[in-house]
Amino acid sequence: VLIGIAIYTFLKKDLGYTQTKQISQNKQLLYGSLIGLVVGFYDGFFGPGTGSFFVLGFVVILGFEFVEASAYAKVINCMTNISALFVFIRQGNYIIELAVMMAICNISGNYIGTLLAMRKGNSFVRIFFL
């Protein structure tokens, strides 16, 4: 599925460069909820690529540009990861030392990536999305 998304994004050269749709708030809420339901199911069942699915859904269905779509995807992905974290902690399925080290590296990488995305814009984000 991720390969298909990469091919689609590669072929649609202008995808995500600018906001392409003006959708009412009610439709955004409806479509956003459907995106969340479908991608949430995928995330709980498989996991990898969830952020890419959110970004693509926001760009194609809601008409967002890449930077905006990526920002929303980060927030939602963070919340889904926190939910999963509660489940894993409650079941005792974690290694705290590894988790703390990975969290520090993840936060550092996200900070650097966000700065680059904000400075370089949609064309830069599109390259890394691909």
Side-chain angles (χ1 to χ4, degrees):
V1 174
L2 289 171
I3 292 170
I5 288 174
I7 291 168
Y8 178 79
T9 305
F10 182 76
L11 294 175
K12 302 249 332 160
K13 301 292 184 197
D14 61 340
L15 184 70
Y17 280 112
T18 60
Q19 185 169 350
T20 57
K21 298 179 183 177
Q22 294 296 326
I23 300 174
S24 71
Q25 192 169 3
N26 287 339
K27 282 190 177 182
Q28 281 186 355
L29 185 61
L30 174 65
Y31 296 159
S33 296
L34 291 173
I35 292 168
L37 182 66
V38 171
V39 176
F41 173 79
Y42 173 86
D43 189 23
F45 199 74
F46 294 108
T50 299
S52 296
F53 292 129
F54 278 128
V55 169
L56 188 68
F58 295 151
V59 169
V60 172
I61 297 170
L62 298 178
F64 293 172
E65 61 182 40
F66 266 116
V67 172
E68 182 181 21
S70 181
Y72 283 117
K74 300 290 184 224
V75 172
I76 295 168
N77 215 7
C78 179
M79 294 298 108
T80 62
N81 287 334
I82 289 171
S83 299
L85 181 64
F86 286 132
V87 172
F88 289 128
I89 288 173
R90 195 164 57 182
Q91 293 177 351
N93 293 323
Y94 64 95
I95 302 169
I96 193 67
E97 298 84 6
L98 180 61
V100 169
M101 181 180 67
M102 290 177 70
I104 291 168
C105 291
N106 192 299
I107 290 167
S108 300
N110 275 290
Y111 182 77
I112 294 167
T114 300
L115 288 176
L116 283 172
M118 296 304 293
R119 286 185 188 150
K120 302 282 186 175
N122 290 315
S123 58
F124 180 78
V125 174
R126 178 186 164 85
I127 290 167
F128 277 92
F129 182 76
L130 282 170

